[in-house]
Amino acid sequence: CELFEDLRMLPHMSMNFADFYRLLRFRTRELAEPIFALFEPVDHRVPYLSIIGPMVVMSDQHYISRVSLLFSMFDFNSQGLLNRAEFFIAARSLLRGCAIFWQ
């Protein structure tokens, strides 16, 4: 996923409004601002895994493609399995993001 590769280049696991606006390719700043605010920024940053994870879950990709992409997003050490910390980060990010998307 091109977007995920761009996100991996960010120095933090979060993004500021400028990154959010640019990477998600919003048409207008006025459209992006309230959506960014939904994620309750801390120090003007939001965790990108809570945004991108739910987008993958809700995408129209085949099931196996979605699972494969989600797995690669959260397998931080590239060992081919999720350790306990990675699993909890994945669960928290997906649940938090989905709750925001579906409120």
Side-chain angles (χ1 to χ4, degrees), residues 33-85:
E33 286 172 341
I35 297 170
F36 184 79
L38 286 174
F39 289 92
E40 301 172 348
V42 174
D43 294 330
H44 308 288
R45 304 185 74 77
V46 294
Y48 68 73
L49 292 173
S50 292
I51 298 168
I52 304 306
M55 289 173 66
V56 172
V57 169
M58 294 183 287
S59 75
D60 63 354
Q61 296 181 40
H62 291 287
Y63 175 77
I64 192 67
S65 298
R66 286 182 287 180
V67 171
S68 178
L69 180 54
L70 286 169
F71 182 85
S72 66
M73 287 172 55
F74 293 103
D75 183 19
F76 301 123
N77 58 13
S78 302
Q79 287 186 334
L81 56 96
L82 296 183
N83 62 35
R84 182 178 294 204

